[in-house]
mmCIF file of all heavy atoms in Angstrom:
data_model
loop_
_atom_site.group_PDB
_atom_site.id
_atom_site.type_symbol
_atom_site.label_atom_id
_atom_site.label_comp_id
_atom_site.label_asym_id
_atom_site.label_seq_id
_atom_site.Cartn_x
_atom_site.Cartn_y
_atom_site.Cartn_z
ATOM 1 N N GLN A 116 -22.571 286.320 -60.714
ATOM 2 C CA GLN A 116 -23.498 285.706 -59.749
ATOM 3 C C GLN A 116 -22.940 284.344 -59.300
ATOM 4 O O GLN A 116 -22.869 284.049 -58.105
ATOM 5 C CB GLN A 116 -24.876 285.514 -60.396
ATOM 6 C CG GLN A 116 -25.646 286.797 -60.640
ATOM 7 C CD GLN A 116 -26.871 286.576 -61.531
ATOM 8 O OE1 GLN A 116 -26.727 286.226 -62.705
ATOM 9 N NE2 GLN A 116 -28.056 286.760 -60.980
ATOM 10 N N SER A 199 -3.527 311.981 -68.349
ATOM 11 C CA SER A 199 -4.469 312.979 -68.893
ATOM 12 C C SER A 199 -4.169 314.362 -68.325
ATOM 13 O O SER A 199 -4.943 315.299 -68.484
ATOM 14 C CB SER A 199 -5.909 312.567 -68.548
ATOM 15 O OG SER A 199 -5.996 312.257 -67.164
ATOM 16 N N VAL A 243 4.665 300.359 -64.281
ATOM 17 C CA VAL A 243 3.795 301.533 -64.355
ATOM 18 C C VAL A 243 2.561 301.095 -65.134
ATOM 19 O O VAL A 243 2.689 300.361 -66.130
ATOM 20 C CB VAL A 243 4.480 302.686 -65.112
ATOM 21 C CG1 VAL A 243 3.545 303.880 -65.262
ATOM 22 C CG2 VAL A 243 5.765 303.092 -64.403
ATOM 23 N N ALA A 325 -11.494 294.850 -75.774
ATOM 24 C CA ALA A 325 -12.468 294.434 -76.797
ATOM 25 C C ALA A 325 -12.112 293.045 -77.332
ATOM 26 O O ALA A 325 -10.950 292.758 -77.635
ATOM 27 C CB ALA A 325 -12.477 295.441 -77.949
ATOM 28 N N GLU A 331 -5.505 290.216 -83.107
ATOM 29 C CA GLU A 331 -4.404 291.078 -83.582
ATOM 30 C C GLU A 331 -3.379 291.330 -82.476
ATOM 31 O O GLU A 331 -2.185 291.469 -82.741
ATOM 32 C CB GLU A 331 -4.951 292.385 -84.156
ATOM 33 C CG GLU A 331 -5.850 293.161 -83.269
ATOM 34 C CD GLU A 331 -6.617 294.262 -84.025
ATOM 35 O OE1 GLU A 331 -6.671 294.257 -85.260
ATOM 36 O OE2 GLU A 331 -7.169 295.143 -83.324
#
Side-chain angles (χ1 to χ4, degrees):
Q116 289 169 295
S199 49
V243 177
E331 54 194 15

